[in-house]
Amino acid sequence: IVHNKINTLAMTTSSVLQKACKFGSKPDASTFPELLTVVTWLRIIIGAIYGVSLGIRNENRGLVGATLGLNVIAFAPMLYFNGYLMAYVDSYKNLRFVGVVNGLALMLLIWITFFTYAHSEEEMSMQKVLSDAMISSSEATESSTEGATVGTDEF
């Protein structure tokens, strides 16, 4: 039974990939319903690659990197399904932006991970500064409450 499921999955994956790679196939929601899943995975892969690129290049301009990443993740797959497949976009529900948030979230996660790993010294110094500030704040609070009177019920 397990062997049959694996063969069925392999055949299904193979047929979906064949449909996804066929130039000018002009799919619609009835002939290629898996296109939403394909585009979602394409955007996730683009997000992962772009996040690694930002992390390796040590990109530290957050708004620029995130905006360019959003544009690549959102619009590159549109070129694929409009220009390469020539899909009937209106037959699908939400094909234009399906998977954009997933790809953007993965891009940011990978970028932040690479950036944090590359800047561990700065992170440690910031942690020390914050820790020292919290300690001095708590010491100041304790010293200011020592001289206060406690328990008076006068109005």
Side-chain angles (χ1 to χ4, degrees), residues 7-63:
N7 284 340
T8 305
L9 179 64
M11 289 182 350
T12 304
T13 304
S14 174
S15 65
V16 168
L17 288 176
Q18 285 176 353
K19 288 180 186 178
C21 293
K22 189 172 181 181
F23 176 75
S25 60
K26 298 182 181 178
D28 62 13
S30 63
T31 60
F32 190 23
E34 300 89 1
L35 184 59
L36 294 170
T37 305
V38 170
V39 170
T40 299
W41 278 105
L42 181 61
R43 285 183 167 138
I44 289 171
I45 291 167
I46 291 170
I49 292 169
Y50 196 75
V52 169
S53 169
L54 289 172
I56 289 174
R57 291 184 292 129
N58 200 19
E59 182 67 44
N60 59 5
R61 294 173 294 173
L63 185 61

Coordinates of all heavy atoms in Angstrom, one line a residue, residues 7-63:
N7 N 4.4 5.7 -5.6 CA 4.3 5.8 -7.0 C 3.3 6.8 -7.5 O 3.5 7.5 -8.4 CB 4.0 4.4 -7.6 CG 5.2 3.5 -7.6 OD1 6.3 3.9 -7.5 ND2 4.9 2.2 -7.6
T8 N 2.1 6.8 -6.8 CA 1.1 7.8 -7.2 C 1.6 9.2 -7.0 O 1.4 10.1 -7.8 CB -0.2 7.6 -6.4 OG1 -0.6 6.2 -6.6 CG2 -1.3 8.5 -6.8
L9 N 2.3 9.5 -5.8 CA 2.8 10.8 -5.5 C 3.9 11.2 -6.6 O 3.9 12.3 -7.0 CB 3.4 10.8 -4.1 CG 4.0 12.1 -3.7 CD1 3.0 13.2 -3.6 CD2 4.7 12.0 -2.4
A10 N 4.7 10.2 -7.0 CA 5.8 10.5 -7.9 C 5.1 10.9 -9.3 O 5.6 11.8 -10.0 CB 6.7 9.4 -8.1
M11 N 4.1 10.1 -9.7 CA 3.4 10.4 -11.0 C 2.7 11.7 -10.9 O 2.7 12.5 -11.9 CB 2.4 9.3 -11.3 CG 3.1 8.0 -11.7 SD 2.1 6.6 -12.1 CE 0.4 7.0 -11.8
T12 N 2.1 12.0 -9.8 CA 1.4 13.3 -9.7 C 2.4 14.5 -9.7 O 2.1 15.5 -10.4 CB 0.6 13.4 -8.3 OG1 -0.3 12.2 -8.3 CG2 -0.2 14.6 -8.2
T13 N 3.5 14.4 -9.0 CA 4.5 15.4 -9.0 C 5.1 15.6 -10.4 O 5.3 16.7 -10.9 CB 5.6 15.1 -8.0 OG1 5.0 14.9 -6.7 CG2 6.6 16.2 -7.9
S14 N 5.3 14.5 -11.1 CA 5.9 14.5 -12.4 C 4.9 15.2 -13.4 O 5.3 16.0 -14.2 CB 6.2 13.1 -12.9 OG 6.6 13.1 -14.2
S15 N 3.6 14.9 -13.3 CA 2.6 15.5 -14.2 C 2.4 17.0 -13.9 O 2.3 17.8 -14.8 CB 1.3 14.7 -14.1 OG 0.7 14.9 -12.9
V16 N 2.5 17.3 -12.6 CA 2.4 18.8 -12.3 C 3.6 19.5 -12.8 O 3.5 20.6 -13.4 CB 2.2 19.0 -10.8 CG1 2.4 20.4 -10.3 CG2 0.9 18.4 -10.3
L17 N 4.8 19.0 -12.7 CA 6.0 19.6 -13.2 C 6.0 19.7 -14.7 O 6.4 20.7 -15.3 CB 7.3 18.9 -12.7 CG 7.6 19.1 -11.2 CD1 8.8 18.2 -10.8 CD2 7.8 20.5 -10.9
Q18 N 5.4 18.7 -15.4 CA 5.3 18.8 -16.8 C 4.4 19.9 -17.2 O 4.7 20.6 -18.2 CB 4.8 17.4 -17.4 CG 5.9 16.3 -17.4 CD 5.4 15.0 -17.9 OE1 4.2 14.8 -18.1 NE2 6.3 14.0 -18.0
K19 N 3.3 20.0 -16.5 CA 2.3 21.1 -16.8 C 2.9 22.5 -16.5 O 2.7 23.4 -17.3 CB 1.0 21.0 -16.0 CG 0.1 19.8 -16.4 CD -1.1 19.8 -15.5 CE -2.0 18.7 -15.8 NZ -3.1 18.6 -14.8
A20 N 3.7 22.5 -15.5 CA 4.3 23.8 -15.1 C 5.4 24.3 -16.0 O 5.7 25.4 -16.1 CB 4.9 23.7 -13.6
C21 N 6.0 23.3 -16.7 CA 7.2 23.6 -17.6 C 6.8 23.7 -19.1 O 7.6 24.0 -19.9 CB 8.3 22.6 -17.4 SG 9.0 22.7 -15.8
K22 N 5.6 23.5 -19.4 CA 5.1 23.5 -20.8 C 4.9 24.9 -21.3 O 3.9 25.6 -20.8 CB 3.9 22.7 -21.0 CG 3.5 22.4 -22.4 CD 2.4 21.4 -22.5 CE 2.1 21.2 -24.0 NZ 1.0 20.3 -24.2
F23 N 5.7 25.4 -22.2 CA 5.6 26.8 -22.7 C 4.3 27.0 -23.5 O 3.9 26.2 -24.3 CB 6.8 27.1 -23.6 CG 6.7 28.4 -24.2 CD1 7.0 29.5 -23.5 CD2 6.4 28.6 -25.6 CE1 7.0 30.8 -24.0 CE2 6.3 29.9 -26.1 CZ 6.6 31.0 -25.4
G24 N 3.6 28.1 -23.1 CA 2.4 28.5 -23.9 C 1.3 27.6 -23.7 O 0.4 27.5 -24.6
S25 N 1.2 26.9 -22.6 CA 0.1 25.9 -22.4 C -1.3 26.5 -22.2 O -2.3 25.8 -22.3 CB 0.4 24.9 -21.3 OG 0.6 25.6 -20.1
K26 N -1.3 27.8 -21.8 CA -2.5 28.5 -21.6 C -3.5 27.8 -20.6 O -4.6 27.5 -20.9 CB -3.3 28.8 -22.9 CG -2.4 29.7 -23.8 CD -3.2 30.0 -25.1 CE -2.3 30.8 -26.0 NZ -2.9 31.2 -27.2
P27 N -2.9 27.5 -19.4 CA -3.8 26.8 -18.4 C -4.8 27.7 -17.8 O -4.7 28.9 -17.8 CB -2.8 26.4 -17.4 CG -1.7 27.4 -17.4 CD -1.6 27.8 -18.9
D28 N -5.9 27.1 -17.3 CA -6.9 27.8 -16.5 C -7.2 27.0 -15.3 O -6.6 25.9 -15.1 CB -8.1 28.1 -17.4 CG -8.9 26.9 -17.9 OD1 -8.5 25.8 -17.4 OD2 -9.7 27.0 -18.7
A29 N -8.1 27.4 -14.5 CA -8.4 26.8 -13.2 C -8.9 25.3 -13.4 O -8.7 24.5 -12.5 CB -9.4 27.6 -12.4
S30 N -9.5 25.0 -14.5 CA -10.0 23.6 -14.7 C -8.9 22.7 -15.3 O -8.9 21.5 -15.0 CB -11.2 23.7 -15.6 OG -10.9 24.2 -16.9
T31 N -8.0 23.2 -16.1 CA -7.0 22.4 -16.7 C -5.7 22.2 -15.9 O -5.0 21.2 -16.0 CB -6.6 22.9 -18.1 OG1 -6.0 24.2 -18.0 CG2 -7.8 22.9 -19.1
F32 N -5.5 23.2 -15.0 CA -4.3 23.2 -14.2 C -4.5 23.8 -12.8 O -4.0 24.9 -12.5 CB -3.1 23.9 -14.9 CG -1.7 23.7 -14.3 CD1 -1.4 22.6 -13.4 CD2 -0.7 24.6 -14.5 CE1 -0.2 22.5 -12.9 CE2 0.5 24.5 -14.0 CZ 0.8 23.4 -13.1
P33 N -5.4 23.1 -12.0 CA -5.7 23.7 -10.7 C -4.5 23.8 -9.7 O -4.5 24.5 -8.8 CB -6.8 22.8 -10.2 CG -6.6 21.5 -10.9 CD -6.0 21.8 -12.2
E34 N -3.5 23.0 -10.0 CA -2.3 23.0 -9.1 C -1.4 24.2 -9.3 O -0.4 24.4 -8.6 CB -1.4 21.8 -9.4 CG -2.1 20.5 -9.1 CD -2.9 19.9 -10.4 OE1 -2.8 20.6 -11.4 OE2 -3.5 18.9 -10.2
L35 N -1.7 25.1 -10.3 CA -0.9 26.3 -10.5 C -0.8 27.2 -9.3 O 0.3 27.7 -9.1 CB -1.4 27.1 -11.7 CG -0.6 28.3 -12.2 CD1 0.8 27.8 -12.6 CD2 -1.3 29.0 -13.3
L36 N -1.8 27.3 -8.5 CA -1.7 28.1 -7.3 C -0.6 27.5 -6.4 O 0.2 28.3 -5.8 CB -3.0 28.1 -6.5 CG -4.2 28.8 -7.2 CD1 -5.5 28.5 -6.5 CD2 -3.9 30.2 -7.3
T37 N -0.5 26.2 -6.2 CA 0.5 25.6 -5.4 C 1.9 25.8 -6.0 O 2.9 26.0 -5.3 CB 0.2 24.1 -5.2 OG1 -1.1 23.9 -4.7 CG2 1.2 23.4 -4.3
V38 N 2.0 25.6 -7.3 CA 3.3 25.8 -8.0 C 3.8 27.2 -7.8 O 5.0 27.4 -7.5 CB 3.1 25.5 -9.5 CG1 4.4 25.9 -10.3 CG2 2.9 24.0 -9.7
V39 N 2.9 28.2 -8.0 CA 3.3 29.6 -7.8 C 3.7 29.9 -6.4 O 4.7 30.6 -6.1 CB 2.2 30.6 -8.3 CG1 2.5 32.0 -7.9 CG2 2.0 30.4 -9.8
T40 N 3.0 29.3 -5.4 CA 3.3 29.5 -4.0 C 4.7 29.0 -3.7 O 5.5 29.6 -3.1 CB 2.3 28.8 -3.1 OG1 1.0 29.4 -3.3 CG2 2.7 28.9 -1.6
W41 N 5.0 27.8 -4.2 CA 6.3 27.2 -4.0 C 7.4 28.0 -4.7 O 8.5 28.1 -4.2 CB 6.4 25.7 -4.4 CG 5.8 24.8 -3.3 CD1 4.6 24.2 -3.3 CD2 6.5 24.5 -2.1 NE1 4.5 23.5 -2.1 CE2 5.6 23.7 -1.3 CE3 7.7 24.8 -1.5 CZ2 5.9 23.2 -0.1 CZ3 8.0 24.4 -0.3 CH2 7.2 23.5 0.4
L42 N 7.1 28.5 -5.9 CA 8.0 29.3 -6.6 C 8.4 30.6 -5.8 O 9.6 30.9 -5.7 CB 7.5 29.7 -8.0 CG 8.3 30.5 -8.9 CD1 9.6 29.8 -9.2 CD2 7.6 30.8 -10.2
R43 N 7.4 31.2 -5.2 CA 7.6 32.4 -4.4 C 8.4 32.1 -3.2 O 9.2 32.9 -2.7 CB 6.3 33.1 -4.1 CG 5.8 33.8 -5.4 CD 4.5 34.5 -5.1 NE 4.2 35.4 -6.2 CZ 3.0 35.6 -6.7 NH1 2.0 35.0 -6.2 NH2 2.9 36.4 -7.7
I44 N 8.1 30.9 -2.6 CA 8.9 30.5 -1.4 C 10.4 30.3 -1.7 O 11.3 30.7 -1.0 CB 8.3 29.3 -0.7 CG1 6.9 29.7 -0.1 CG2 9.2 28.6 0.3 CD1 6.1 28.5 0.4
I45 N 10.6 29.6 -2.9 CA 12.0 29.4 -3.3 C 12.7 30.7 -3.6 O 13.9 30.9 -3.2 CB 12.0 28.4 -4.5 CG1 11.6 27.0 -4.0 CG2 13.4 28.4 -5.2 CD1 11.2 26.1 -5.2
I46 N 12.0 31.6 -4.3 CA 12.6 32.9 -4.6 C 12.9 33.7 -3.3 O 14.0 34.3 -3.2 CB 11.7 33.7 -5.5 CG1 11.6 33.1 -6.9 CG2 12.1 35.2 -5.6 CD1 10.6 33.7 -7.8
G47 N 12.0 33.6 -2.4 CA 12.2 34.3 -1.1 C 13.4 33.7 -0.3 O 14.2 34.5 0.2
A48 N 13.6 32.4 -0.4 CA 14.7 31.8 0.3 C 16.0 32.2 -0.3 O 17.0 32.6 0.3 CB 14.6 30.3 0.3
I49 N 16.1 32.2 -1.7 CA 17.3 32.5 -2.4 C 17.6 34.0 -2.2 O 18.8 34.3 -1.9 CB 17.1 32.2 -3.9 CG1 17.1 30.7 -4.1 CG2 18.3 32.8 -4.7 CD1 16.7 30.2 -5.5
Y50 N 16.6 34.9 -2.2 CA 16.9 36.3 -2.0 C 17.3 36.6 -0.6 O 18.1 37.4 -0.4 CB 15.6 37.1 -2.4 CG 15.9 38.5 -2.6 CD1 16.6 39.0 -3.7 CD2 15.6 39.5 -1.7 CE1 16.9 40.3 -3.9 CE2 15.9 40.8 -1.8 CZ 16.5 41.3 -3.0 OH 16.8 42.6 -3.1
G51 N 16.7 35.9 0.4 CA 17.1 36.1 1.8 C 18.6 35.7 2.0 O 19.3 36.3 2.7
V52 N 19.0 34.5 1.4 CA 20.4 34.1 1.5 C 21.3 35.2 0.8 O 22.3 35.5 1.4 CB 20.6 32.7 0.9 CG1 22.0 32.4 0.7 CG2 19.9 31.7 1.7
S53 N 20.8 35.7 -0.3 CA 21.6 36.7 -1.0 C 21.8 37.9 -0.1 O 22.9 38.5 0.0 CB 20.9 37.1 -2.3 OG 21.5 38.2 -2.9
L54 N 20.7 38.4 0.5 CA 20.8 39.6 1.4 C 21.7 39.3 2.5 O 22.5 40.2 2.9 CB 19.4 40.0 1.9 CG 18.5 40.6 0.8 CD1 17.1 40.8 1.4 CD2 19.0 41.9 0.3
G55 N 21.6 38.1 3.1 CA 22.5 37.8 4.3 C 23.9 37.6 3.9 O 24.8 38.1 4.7
I56 N 24.2 37.0 2.8 CA 25.6 36.8 2.4 C 26.3 38.2 2.0 O 27.4 38.4 2.3 CB 25.7 35.8 1.2 CG1 25.4 34.4 1.8 CG2 27.1 35.9 0.6 CD1 25.3 33.4 0.7
R57 N 25.5 39.0 1.3 CA 26.0 40.3 0.9 C 26.1 41.3 2.1 O 26.5 42.5 1.9 CB 25.1 41.0 -0.2 CG 25.3 40.2 -1.5 CD 24.5 40.9 -2.6 NE 23.1 40.8 -2.4 CZ 22.2 41.8 -2.4 NH1 22.6 43.0 -2.6 NH2 20.9 41.6 -2.2
N58 N 25.6 40.9 3.3 CA 25.6 41.7 4.5 C 24.8 43.0 4.3 O 25.3 44.1 4.7 CB 27.1 42.0 4.9 CG 27.1 42.4 6.4 OD1 26.2 42.1 7.2 ND2 28.2 43.0 6.8
E59 N 23.7 42.9 3.6 CA 22.8 44.0 3.4 C 22.3 44.6 4.7 O 21.7 43.8 5.4 CB 21.7 43.6 2.4 CG 20.8 44.7 2.0 CD 21.4 45.7 1.2 OE1 22.2 45.4 0.2 OE2 21.2 46.9 1.4
N60 N 22.4 45.8 4.9 CA 21.9 46.4 6.2 C 21.0 47.6 5.9 O 20.7 48.3 6.9 CB 23.1 46.8 7.1 CG 24.0 47.8 6.4 OD1 23.8 48.3 5.4 ND2 25.1 48.1 7.1
R61 N 20.5 47.8 4.7 CA 19.5 48.8 4.5 C 18.2 48.1 4.4 O 17.8 47.6 3.4 CB 19.8 49.5 3.1 CG 21.1 50.3 3.2 CD 21.5 50.9 1.9 NE 21.8 49.8 1.0 CZ 22.0 49.9 -0.3 NH1 21.9 51.0 -0.9 NH2 22.3 48.8 -1.0
G62 N 17.5 48.0 5.6 CA 16.4 47.2 5.7 C 15.2 47.5 4.8 O 14.7 46.6 4.2
L63 N 14.9 48.8 4.6 CA 13.7 49.1 3.8 C 14.0 48.8 2.3 O 13.1 48.3 1.6 CB 13.4 50.6 4.0 CG 12.1 51.0 3.2 CD1 10.9 50.3 3.7 CD2 11.9 52.5 3.4

